[in-house]
Amino acid sequence: MKTTKNFYEKLYQNKVCFYCGLFIILISLCALLAPLISPYSFDQQFPSKALEGSSLKHWLGTDHLGRDLLSRMIYGSRMSMAVGIFTALISTFLGVLYGLVSGWLGGFTDRILMRFIDIMFSIPTLVLLILVKVLFDSFIVIEHPELKALAGTLVALSLVSWASLARVVRAQVLQSKEKLFVEASRSLGASSFRIIFIHILPNILSPIIILITFQIPSNILFESMLSFLGLGLQAPFSSWGVLVDEAWRSLSTYPRLLLAPGLMLFLTMLSFNLFGDGLRDILDPQLKNQI
Amino acid sequence: MKGLFLALFLSLCSCFFTKKQSFYTNYNLKESFRYPILSEPPTLDWNKSTDRASALIIQNIMEGLTEYDFSEKEPQVKAALAKNWTNSKDNKVWTFFIKDNVFWTDGERLTAKHFLSSWERLLNPKTASEYAYFLFPIKKARKYNQGIIKDFKEVGVKIGKQGELIVELEKALFYFPYLLTHTSTFPIRTDVIEKKKALWTEAENIVTLGPYKLYKWEHDKALVLIKNDSYYGKAPSIKNIIFYIIPEETTIMNLYQSGRLDVATPLISRDLPFLTKRKDHYFHNILSLYYYGFNLKAPNLKNKKVRQAIIHAIDRKEIVQLLNRGNPISTSFLPQGLFAYNPKIGLNFDPEKARKLLKEIPPQSLPSKIQIFYNTTSDHKMIAENIQSQLKKNINLNIELNNQEWKTYLQRLKAKQVEIFRLGWLADYPDPDNFMNLMASFSENNHTGWKNERYDSLILKAMVMKNTNLRKKLYDQAQKILLEEEAVVFPIFTDVSHILISPRIKNYPLNVMSYILFKHIEVKQ
Amino acid sequence: MSSFFSWIEKLLGPTSLISFFTLTGLSFFYYKIPFFLVFIFIISSLVCFFIFIIKKNLLLYVLGRILEAFLTLFIVSSLTFLLLRGLPGGPFDQEKNLAPEIQANIEKKYHLDKSLTWQYFYYMKGLSRGYLGESYKYTDRNISDILKDSLPVSIQLGIYALIIAFAVGIPLGVFAARKQNTFFDQSSMLLSISGVSLPSFVIAPIFILFFSFYLGWLEPALWEGTLFYILPSVVLGLRPASIIARLTRSSILDILSHDYVRTARAKGLNETSIFYKHILKNAFLPVLTFSAPLIAGILTGSFIIEKIFAIPGLGQHFINSVTNRDYPLILGTVLIYSSLLILSNLIVDLLYTYFDPRIKLS
């Protein structure tokens, strides 16, 4: 209990980290409450008002289809954040599981498992991403429209990003395996399962949490990269990447379209990175050179 | 220390010996024309090339027996390498006399033999050319391509006594000379190919005879054509043509704006409201149709009335306005500007009628949701999204959009795992048969699963007929079956091509086939 | 013998470095690359490499790694081969459907009519002889020719970007660490974390707008000279530069707290000499770890940068070959990437022993 209180105190003291955390919460709220707060729906078209500048009715103006840009930004945050967070969770789950097994079993199994990760790294990320996404989209049918738009990207990103997590977790497990309390409980006859989940996992929790915070912005980045390449979300859903892509297409004629999504993408990534930095300083200052 | 000095000495030496590389942006502007292409030409082997970037280059370094003439209202052909040609009364035997003042860039004179060897190569199954079908109208050509006939001598092409090329067709075909404008039928030097193997299309090996010759080909970066001094015709006015390979439309626009290109095409449709006001903007129709098709095998679309209702419920004008490209809407399956185009045929926008049609269907058999399939590009997305909202608004029909990566989409189309799908068709040759053929039961490009004997017999009859009113009537009848009675496809608009042309360029050819011969272009002094 | 080695090393080490930078400079100013300088560079660096290996007794280790690399490449290519064939749609599917007999002819030409196992063994047989096959999309062109044309461009761009990354990143990190908690430190760290947070496809359009449309100083695209090189190199180098700056700073601060630095200080050594002699060398290790995947990634080209700036590099093939289902080309690009990655991993591991002699490789 004391440590948690200590944590919040430290968090509050670290101003940058605190405000970044606030900003993240704000964005997440925006994403969650998108249907309530956005003035229009993300796909409502006003063809007569296409490409208008900002006005009282449309704060950020409209796009080429006459859709309200602000609403598309708000709904875009929903998709971008969903990809960022869910992918981080899935890939963390996979990575932690893999890292735990590999680190705990050690020996030959560990070598084989780590070699597999090496091989995963040797395939260019973008190629792997596209392969997995195309395969997933063509073979798995999902009914729910919003989920359907996301699922391919989610799965592809998760499958690509778990490997680096697994490496770090394995290293952590190897370290704590040598520690005294593990030795002690092992000599007392505790089962592997018990040792892993009661002793080791809580011990390596803080690096995992920090890793998740760093995973999220990199996932958001990858999602927008995919969308920029035209391989991202299904229409008419928007994400910040989709909006940046649309803005890039009319760079020489309507450069202002780039402003809002570019800025939001930048600010969100910035606050996640700064927040992760702060979190690391608070939770586990020794991790600095590992992550 | 010694090492350091030695290394420095060597480096300095090398700096003295080397020169600046020449680069294309430094070419004399008065003599050059700079044109963007979206992708590296996959091959310049004209027997094998299939795409537009390659065709554009080949058309300017090579010539065929005939070439298009766009001075009339509808496209015509005129002689190019052929002096003239005659045809038998039944349109089955064609004789081409070849110009005798044509020389290849290596000095050899052009003869009918070069045509014969090109066509043999095109049809040879080992060449595996995708456009072999251009010569399928020739007697036994298809059988040779299938490997049933092994000897090319049996195919209906031979060289006459005076060196003329005699072609015997399977069926009477009055538009046969149109096919010979296509790059795949151009003459070829098989002796050069045998000597240089796969590298024969590189700039230092290729042997051509057109107004330009290939001077340099830096893969993925640029191609340079230079005036061919041994060209038999009128010498072109521009000395260098530089093709830059630029994969992004936005980048093309950026480069045009900064004066690095003389032409910007294709333009991004969402930029058009801004661009159409400019003085250097031009646009024209092309013989290409954008259409949606119904998969008749899908249970939701089995009912004719559902299909008719959907077509009636969509206002094409709204789509065209949204695209903002100035596309003429088309209810007909033939694009505007083609023989037999008839704006009166096809189902119009009529939401009342659409609702009435739906009411005639028992409610339990009404589809609750229909899927539209399209491949992922921004324009297709925009159109699909608009159709979705129109159908919701006009007949309260729920549409689910389903976009797919291009090859996945094609595979789905082939396997008929689609409901409503989008496709386009760009004319191979300017004849209605090229379009009407698509929906015949024997066509590989009919993805609707629709079969109609009456339709098949009508278009087969029209195919061998001369351009007359009777032919037009036959096509009208066929279209009525296809578009109104059965409502199998839903034509939306004819494509247009938008282009920005720098004011320093004169006589840039704009035509319905996007057939660009750079020999006509001039630079203003 | 060893004196002969060290003499050669002293001679060739700087030769290799200087010829490398001369080459980079020449290419940056769009001069023709003199062939003999390339030759000198390759020979001198190879000889230096071998001497280094022999001196450190790492010959067996390196041979082992190379053997291992072949195994990895084999597995990677098999895995990619399998994944590829699972993709829906074939290389010759297109808007205009082909007549069945033409389709059959094409499939026969490229052996696509044979069974998958047959094709696999056929490909592997070719691969073992170094033959990567023929492209489906670029008719009659060998994959190795395509790679030979596009890889140098990507390497050229990559080297510029890497030079920017290291030349900006390391000094920035070092000065920030020396002036810890000052305004300079904080602002440069804010700058670098912004660099990490700015996606290249956001920053590239902004730079194009500003530097080539508004100011008119630089070219918006193409690859034909110094003015064309600057924008893409800077955009590509920005992110790694920021990461390197942050890594350098934090690892220096980490080392500053170690005992031996305190000892050195207590001995009364000059602060500057402590910093540059002891700290910098050690602080470079984490940066080195990060460099291996960075180098492979950057040298094989960035698809986004190459697309935006119309650069004829390898990056475009990574995506286009997948969308075209050009199986041999995908496999070729993947193999190039993995070999570069394995190579840079090896070199980085060897460099470890150079920077920190305590590390033993086995």
Side-chain angles (χ1 to χ4, degrees), chain B residues 151-165:
Chain B
D151 190 3
F152 188 69
K153 286 194 180 108
E154 287 181 46
V155 179
V157 197
K158 58 176 189 272
I159 298 174
K161 280 185 191 128
Q162 295 140 9
E164 74 271 31
L165 193 67

Side-chain angles (χ1 to χ4, degrees), chain A residues 84-100 102 114 117 121 157-173 204-216 218-219 290-291:
Chain A
I85 291 171
F86 288 125
T87 311
L89 291 180
I90 300 174
S91 63
T92 310
F93 176 75
L94 289 176
V96 167
L97 206 67
Y98 197 94
L100 276 177
S102 178
M114 282 301 115
I117 284 191
F121 274 113
L157 274 177
S158 318
L159 281 183
V160 167
S161 58
W162 62 272
S164 53
L165 277 160
R167 260 192 190 166
V168 177
V169 171
R170 170 183 168 269
Q172 293 284 332
V173 173
I204 61 171
L205 207 57
S206 39
I208 291 175
I209 290 173
I210 295 165
L211 274 173
I212 294 178
T213 25
F214 282 116
Q215 273 283 305
I216 294 173
S218 106
N219 291 331
Q290 290 181 28
I291 300 171

Side-chain angles (χ1 to χ4, degrees), chain A residues 33-276:
Chain A
L33 304 175
L36 297 178
I37 53 172
S38 82
Y40 305 93
S41 162
F42 61 94
D43 56 351
Q44 195 180 353
Q45 303 177 4
F46 303 95
S48 56
K49 287 190 184 167
L51 287 168
E52 266 184 7
S54 43
S55 61
L56 271 180
K57 271 191 166 170
H58 303 280
W59 289 5
L60 293 177
T62 54
D63 69 357
H64 56 284
L65 281 177
R67 295 178 292 200
D68 182 50
L69 210 58
L70 179 66
S71 315
R72 279 182 77 70
M73 285 291 302
I74 292 171
Y75 274 96
S77 69
R78 196 180 170 91
M79 286 298 180
S80 292
M81 293 296 278
V83 171
I85 291 171
F86 288 125
T87 311
L89 291 180
I90 300 174
S91 63
T92 310
F93 176 75
L94 289 176
V96 167
L97 206 67
Y98 197 94
L100 276 177
V101 169
S102 178
W104 179 253
L105 292 178
F108 187 66
T109 330
D110 181 41
R111 275 178 67 184
I112 294 286
L113 290 178
M114 282 301 115
R115 182 44 43 87
F116 181 68
I117 284 191
D118 285 347
I119 287 165
M120 285 285 290
F121 274 113
S122 322
I123 301 178
T125 322
L126 212 51
V127 172
L128 196 61
L129 255 177
I130 295 167
L131 283 179
V132 174
K133 188 169 152 46
V134 172
L135 277 172
F136 182 88
D137 281 345
S138 54
F139 289 117
I140 292 175
V141 183
I142 294 170
E143 284 299 319
H144 188 271
E146 227 167 358
L147 201 64
K148 186 175 141 190
L150 272 177
T153 318
L154 263 175
V155 170
L157 274 177
S158 318
L159 281 183
V160 167
S161 58
W162 62 272
S164 53
L165 277 160
R167 260 192 190 166
V168 177
V169 171
R170 170 183 168 269
Q172 293 284 332
V173 173
L174 284 183
Q175 266 179 29
S176 46
K177 226 166 104 176
E178 307 304 319
K179 286 198 178 133
L180 269 177
F181 63 92
V182 176
E183 292 283 330
S185 48
R186 197 185 280 171
S187 60
L188 286 173
S191 70
S192 305
F193 189 80
R194 197 180 152 79
I195 297 175
I196 289 176
F197 283 94
I198 306 287
H199 295 292
I200 293 184
L201 198 57
N203 235 305
I204 61 171
L205 207 57
S206 39
I208 291 175
I209 290 173
I210 295 165
L211 274 173
I212 294 178
T213 25
F214 282 116
Q215 273 283 305
I216 294 173
S218 106
N219 291 331
I220 292 178
L221 181 73
F222 260 116
E223 187 278 327
S224 31
M225 207 157 92
L226 276 180
S227 295
F228 185 77
L229 298 176
L231 296 159
L233 291 180
Q234 303 235 348
F237 296 103
S238 76
S239 74
W240 294 330
V242 171
L243 293 175
V244 171
D245 176 45
E246 286 175 355
W248 151 251
R249 306 216 160 271
S250 20
L251 184 70
S252 53
T253 43
Y254 299 95
R256 63 171 174 81
L257 291 176
L258 186 66
L259 197 69
L263 198 67
M264 273 319 286
L265 203 57
F266 169 61
L267 284 180
T268 313
M269 301 259 303
L270 188 67
S271 31
F272 267 112
N273 281 328
L274 285 173
F275 184 70

Side-chain angles (χ1 to χ4, degrees), chain B residues 213-227:
Chain B
K213 59 186 179 189
L214 185 64
Y215 174 66
K216 208 168 183 184
W217 183 4
E218 274 194 75
H219 289 286
D220 291 318
K221 182 173 174 186
L223 291 102
V224 183
L225 306 188
I226 196 164
K227 205 177 353 185

Side-chain angles (χ1 to χ4, degrees), chain C residues 185-196:
Chain C
D185 177 30
Q186 279 159 358
S187 54
S188 63
M189 280 307 106
L190 188 70
L191 206 69
S192 63
I193 202 156
S194 308
V196 179

Side-chain angles (χ1 to χ4, degrees), chain B residues 54-78:
Chain B
S54 313
L56 184 69
I57 290 153
I58 294 165
Q59 275 160 12
N60 285 289
I61 57 174
M62 276 304 296
E63 278 190 3
L65 280 172
T66 57
E67 72 180 36
Y68 284 118
D69 176 10
F70 295 99
S71 51
E72 309 277 320
K73 198 175 141 221
E74 278 150 17
Q76 307 288 322
V77 286
K78 64 179 181 195

